[in-house]
Amino acid sequence: MTTTLSRDEKLTLTEICKDLKISRSTFYDWRAKGRAPRCIKLPNGDIRVRRSDYEHWLSDREDAA
């Protein structure tokens, strides 16, 4: 029997910006203002966002509309 670990996919900043149709500078502005989804900053400075955090963040924006 093989056990598969369920891991939450990590999205790149490029994937997030493409999905939202925004520029990287807009994302960084939102992040500085505390309006972006929770991010993971890697040791090399790259940013990742857990898919579950992103989807939760989108749901919250929907409720606020």
Side-chain angles (χ1 to χ4, degrees):
M1 183 173 159
T2 320
T3 305
T4 305
L5 296 176
S6 175
R7 304 190 95 191
D8 200 359
E9 180 184 10
K10 311 302 183 287
L11 302 171
T12 65
L13 184 54
T14 301
E15 292 170 323
I16 297 288
C17 291
K18 184 177 178 182
D19 187 55
L20 295 173
K21 296 178 176 66
I22 61 169
S23 67
R24 291 174 77 89
S25 62
T26 297
F27 183 88
Y28 282 117
D29 183 49
W30 290 355
R31 188 166 183 240
K33 294 176 181 175
R35 296 180 182 166
R38 274 182 26 165
C39 297
I40 301 166
K41 189 169 185 180
L42 301 177
N44 66 357
D46 286 353
I47 292 176
R48 297 290 185 273
V49 177
R50 287 181 184 92
R51 179 172 292 284
S52 61
D53 288 339
Y54 178 59
E55 290 175 359
H56 180 74
W57 178 83
L58 282 176
S59 292
D60 286 350
R61 304 290 75 75
E62 212 172 90
D63 294 341

